[in-house]
Amino acid sequence: MEKKKKLRCPIGIPAGIISALIGVTGIVLNSINFNLPGLITSIALLLLAMPFVRIIMMVHSANDRLDELESKMQK
């Protein structure tokens, strides 16, 4: 019988993707309207969103490896 994997809530991944999309949309709209403060804010949001997604993915993969090691130690 196959053991089911624990479900993790990867809320960071959709949140990072949404903030990256908002950043790209903001860059396009603010560059069309020549809005410099909004453009700077959108660029900052985009630059913060991309590493956030990667960090969350690394945390989840590390948790999966720890669960695998714990199950091997229990056997």
Side-chain angles (χ1 to χ4, degrees):
M1 193 159 143
E2 190 175 323
K3 195 174 182 183
K4 289 187 178 179
K5 290 180 79 173
K6 291 182 182 178
L7 294 177
R8 301 199 190 283
C9 181
I11 193 65
I13 296 171
I17 292 171
I18 289 171
S19 59
L21 289 175
I22 291 171
V24 169
T25 305
I27 289 171
V28 170
L29 292 177
N30 288 316
S31 63
I32 290 172
N33 294 329
F34 303 109
N35 183 5
L36 187 60
L39 181 64
I40 293 170
T41 305
S42 298
I43 291 171
L45 180 64
L46 180 66
L47 292 177
L48 286 173
M50 293 184 292
F52 183 71
V53 172
R54 180 66 185 143
I55 289 169
I56 296 298
M57 288 171 57
M58 286 172 49
V59 168
H60 286 297
S61 66
N63 284 337
D64 290 340
R65 289 183 197 143
L66 284 174
D67 289 343
E68 185 178 329
L69 287 173
E70 287 175 354
S71 67
K72 284 183 180 179
M73 287 179 66
Q74 288 176 355
K75 289 183 180 180

